[in-house]
Amino acid sequence: MTALSPARTAPPARTRSGLMRAVLFGHGTVGGGVAAALPAGVRLDGVVVRSRRSGLPRSVPVFTAPDEALALKPDLVIEALPGGAQAEAVLERAVALGCHVVSANKEVCARRPDLAARAREQGTAFLCSAAVGGGVPVLETVERLAHGGQGLSRVRGVLNGTSNFVLDRLADGERLDDAIAAAQAAGFAEADPGADLDGRDAACKLALIARTAWGVDLDPAAIPARSIRDLPAGLPAKAAREGRRVRQVAALARAGDGVHAGVRLEVLDLDDPLSRARLEGNCVVLTPETGTPLILSGKGAGRVPTAASMLADIARLVAERCR
Ligand SMILES: NC(=O)c1ccc[n+]([C@@H]2O[C@H](COP(=O)([O-])OP(=O)(O)OC[C@H]3O[C@@H](n4cnc5c(N)ncnc54)[C@H](OP(=O)(O)O)[C@@H]3O)[C@@H](O)[C@H]2O)c1
């Protein structure tokens, strides 16, 4: 499981100073928001970026070599780098060094379940609430349902804010390239939006949900996904004229010993809760084994909601340390 509950996370080791010493990897959209609002009890000892520039904290050492920052032996590594080899190497080293980890990185966290497993074995935290839902507490709620007695049988959600933003723009008659450029200008889409549009980002989020709910490790690359790039031209606008909406729907269902997962493009009626996710919004319907479905919705991307989710993970760690 990737997001550890307070009850199941071993208390962090106390540092002599009484403060949790942290290094922040990445000071972009998300990392910049985290640096600006770190809770009391955390001392930022370093920030790692690709290149020094204006707008970085002045009171904290800035590194461009991750190893130099890890040599500080921080208690906590806060990772807000783009997905990929650099982030993977940082998370590997952080876990190997026995650091607590808070990450926003769905791609690496989904693909490398061994990192969370090793952290759990050694009693350090590996938290990635921001990796699913941005500011919407998806993993936290999945954990509560799955381990609080109600169980979880099905998940259906709009989990990728960029895709939803693009689909809404297409519904207004915009061209795909223009819709993607608008998502990039708004800070939602990565320079390469392929993972968002092709459903790979949503597949990573499904893998993290399945792990949190059922302890099952799905290979995100093996989850079938349909790409918005293959959508027939004009379909979102046609659906809108008919009072319906095209949505990228990520779905998980537990059946017997197995878990079915897929990312589809569906034309939804307006009474479907997922049709109500607008622009970069996320919406998830969690169906427990007992009880009524829960619907979560909110901002799925952007600096403030995503940083708030990481900050909540960090605050959890600090609170446990004070117990
Ligand atoms: N943006 C969102 O709404 C959102 C939502 C949920 C999750 N996330 C996840 O959060 C993570 C960060 O996203 P972001 O939007 O904040 O990205 P971003 O704005 O592009 O910022 C990335 C940061 O990482 C630094 N960086 C990039 N490559 C590096 C390297 N090789 N070595 C050292 N530093 C490097 C960059 O340095 P420079 O400043 O020098 O360029 C920048 O500070 C990603 O995993 C993303 O998937 C983002």
Side-chain angles (χ1 to χ4, degrees):
M1 187 184 61
T2 306
L4 300 176
S5 68
R8 301 199 295 154
T9 307
R14 286 174 186 279
T15 56
R16 269 190 215 123
S17 67
L19 285 169
M20 191 173 281
R21 297 175 304 104
V23 170
L24 171 65
F25 288 80
H27 195 277
T29 305
V30 177
V34 171
L38 279 171
V42 178
R43 188 182 78 200
L44 192 58
D45 279 0
V47 171
V48 183
V49 289
R50 192 169 23 202
S51 55
R52 288 187 173 80
R53 53 174 167 78
S54 61
L56 295 169
R58 292 194 177 174
S59 52
V60 177
V62 173
F63 301 91
T64 53
D67 281 349
E68 286 177 19
L70 287 169
L72 298 174
K73 297 201 171 87
D75 305 306
L76 168 64
V77 163
I78 307 167
E79 189 271 308
L81 299 169
Q86 183 65 265
E88 186 169 1
V90 165
L91 291 176
E92 264 177 6
R93 290 278 295 139
V95 171
L97 288 168
C99 308
H100 300 295
V101 170
V102 171
S103 170
N105 198 320
K106 53 254 167 179
E107 194 262 320
V108 177
C109 293
R111 194 163 43 77
R112 293 288 309 273
D114 58 303
L115 295 176
R118 179 160 177 198
R120 189 168 50 241
E121 277 161 23
Q122 66 190 16
T124 55
F126 192 100
L127 304 174
C128 63
S129 301
V132 184
V136 185
V138 179
L139 290 183
E140 298 90 320
T141 311
V142 165
E143 166 129 23
R144 216 177 100 183
L145 284 176
H147 305 289
Q150 278 183 277
L152 185 69
S153 62
R154 272 187 299 133
V155 178
R156 202 170 152 264
V158 168
L159 295 174
N160 183 272
T162 299
S163 290
N164 211 56
F165 184 95
V166 165
L167 286 168
D168 268 358
R169 292 285 190 130
L170 295 178
D172 289 340
E174 208 165 324
R175 290 177 49 246
L176 181 60
D177 287 351
D178 294 336
I180 293 169
Q184 285 166 332
F188 308 133
E190 316 256 341
D192 173 8
D196 298 317
L197 302 178
D198 299 347
R200 282 179 280 125
D201 175 89
C204 288
K205 291 168 178 171
L206 288 179
L208 290 173
I209 292 172
R211 192 186 306 162
T212 303
W214 305 305
V216 171
D217 288 329
L218 301 179
D219 175 3
I223 294 177
R226 263 201 74 195
S227 176
I228 289 175
R229 296 192 260 213
D230 298 333
L231 206 56
L235 180 63
K238 178 173 176 286
R241 284 195 298 277
E242 294 167 352
R244 299 194 294 167
R245 294 205 178 105
V246 179
R247 290 286 173 254
Q248 185 195 67
V249 177
L252 273 181
R254 194 173 200 190
D257 289 342
V259 172
H260 297 298
V263 182
R264 298 185 284 263
L265 295 169
E266 296 183 3
V267 182
L268 304 179
D269 292 328
L270 292 187
D271 60 1
D272 188 313
L274 301 191
S275 74
R276 286 180 233 141
R278 302 309 309 271
L279 297 170
E280 77 275 24
N282 278 196
C283 182
V284 191
V285 182
L286 303 173
T287 305
E289 285 160 10
T290 57
T292 51
L294 266 176
I295 302 173
L296 306 175
S297 64
K299 294 253 184 207
R303 167 175 283 211
V304 172
T306 310
S309 188
M310 294 192 87
L311 287 162
D313 278 350
I314 296 166
R316 263 167 74 177
L317 276 172
V318 173
E320 282 177 28
R321 189 164 164 272
C322 295
R323 278 197 296 179

